[in-house]
Amino acid sequence: MKQSKRVFYFDALRAMAIIGIVFCHAAITFVVTGINNSDFYISAFFDCFRDFSIPIFVMLSGALLLNKNDSLKKFFKKRLSRLFIPFLFWVLVYIAYSAVYIKHGFYLNYAIDVFFGTSSTFGVIFWFIWMIIIVYVGIFIINKINHFGCSKTDGFDKRLFTVLAMLSVAYIAMVHFCLFDPYKSKLTYFISFMSYIFIGYYLANNDFVGERLGRDAMIILTLILSVSLYFYYIFGYVVPVSVSTNHFSYLGYFNLLILAMSSSIFLLFKYLDRTSLSGKIQDGSWAKPINLISKYSFGIYLSHYMILSFLKMNLIKYVDFTHQSPLFWIPFFVIITTVLSLAILQILSKIPYIGDVAGRG
């Protein structure tokens, strides 16, 4: 098997997570128009891929960026600029798109709302950018504390991140049982995602396989947990609550069920990476698309929503897909949107001076 500096299961998780987000946005049209029909089960199943995809994205940031010692200059140049440059490009594209196709004119207040990812605008997806910027600042501060502690005490980093992971689980439990409300402001909501940063680092850097529980047993356990928790979430909560209230309902990210589901999927990929199957995938034809999607995952996140909107807006002139099977149309939109996103991003990446807007990782 070829050796690589990249961790393959990180790439596989990132590719799965971004495709999960595209699935969510492709399914929105079907979810909001069909709560009381039988196809709602299918639409909700696809839409809620988002509910483990976002936590996994954040967990990967923790696994990759915690316990580093970047200087302030490197932090701004290597971390924040990689976020902000593609974001600035795409937010301008979204504002222009909105002016032409949605608002039919330029309105400064609307453009500002798009920039800040206000939920009622076409820029709704940009909330993630502001959240991840705040999280990155938090990572930088924690890394500086950790570096200082390690200079004074051996093993400080292991103890620090173990305690922070335990406190993060406790925090999510507090939110789960309504002992704290992270949704009272955007700032508390965004900062709350630090919990997934610490949990992601802990899961990536600790081995849960021992004498009593082998690798294969861990794979079977996490597979059963991942599938059963997701099916319970969809058919035990989302569908019945949505049908009873006639309003699409789902859990927030700071919930023990979402945490358990996201963590089990993370660990499933981690331990599958140690099997011969993973080696065959990395040496086979599947490795290239997985690595490509992972590499451009940030760019896909920024571009896919507009591409998907354009596809739906034009296709519905000829086919009323909202009254047809979501089992066909949702994957159809996901495939076309992902392919078009990758094509556009690869073209942008080859243009001199503006290649950074493609959001390559």
Side-chain angles (χ1 to χ4, degrees), residues 202-222:
Y202 184 82
L203 294 178
N205 289 278
N206 286 275
D207 198 349
F208 303 96
V209 167
E211 293 181 1
R212 294 185 177 182
L213 189 66
R215 182 202 66 193
D216 292 344
M218 178 62 81
I219 291 171
I220 294 170
L221 175 62
T222 53

Side-chain angles (χ1 to χ4, degrees), residues 276-296:
S276 58
L277 174 63
S278 176
K280 291 177 181 178
I281 292 173
Q282 292 181 59
D283 289 333
S285 58
W286 280 101
K288 187 174 180 179
I290 290 172
N291 289 327
L292 185 66
I293 292 170
S294 173
K295 181 180 178 181
Y296 285 99

Side-chain angles (χ1 to χ4, degrees), residues 100-161:
V100 175
Y101 292 105
I102 298 174
K103 304 299 286 186
H104 304 290
F106 176 79
Y107 300 93
L108 181 59
N109 288 341
Y110 186 82
I112 292 172
D113 285 341
V114 170
F115 181 77
F116 285 108
T118 304
S119 59
S120 59
T121 71
F122 189 61
V124 59
I125 63 166
F126 295 134
W127 74 270
F128 181 84
I129 311 304
W130 298 105
M131 178 274 286
I132 209 70
I133 287 172
I134 289 173
V135 164
Y136 274 20
V137 172
I139 290 173
F140 179 78
I141 293 170
I142 293 296
N143 280 344
K144 287 302 176 185
I145 294 171
N146 177 58
H147 179 66
F148 176 79
C150 287
S151 68
K152 303 293 183 182
T153 308
D154 289 339
F156 178 84
D157 55 342
K158 186 173 182 178
R159 290 194 291 272
L160 173 66
F161 293 123

Side-chain angles (χ1 to χ4, degrees), residues 7-17 49 51-66 165 195-209 215 218-219 221-227 229-230 257-274 278:
V7 179
F8 183 72
Y9 87 87
F10 285 175
D11 282 330
L13 276 168
R14 193 180 293 109
M16 178 206 66
F49 284 174
D51 296 335
F52 60 79
S53 295
I54 291 292
I56 284 174
F57 258 130
V58 181
M59 290 162 77
L60 285 169
S61 294
L64 289 164
L65 301 179
L66 274 180
S195 57
Y196 280 107
I197 289 289
F198 301 132
I199 292 167
Y201 178 85
Y202 184 82
L203 294 178
N205 289 278
N206 286 275
D207 198 349
F208 303 96
V209 167
R215 182 202 66 193
M218 178 62 81
I219 291 171
L221 175 62
T222 53
L223 176 61
I224 292 172
L225 276 174
S226 300
V227 173
L229 287 173
Y230 191 69
L257 176 58
I258 301 299
L259 169 63
M261 187 166 60
S262 304
S263 298
S264 61
I265 293 171
F266 192 100
L267 288 174
L268 173 62
F269 277 63
K270 175 180 177 176
Y271 288 106
L272 279 174
D273 197 44
R274 301 181 183 182
S278 176

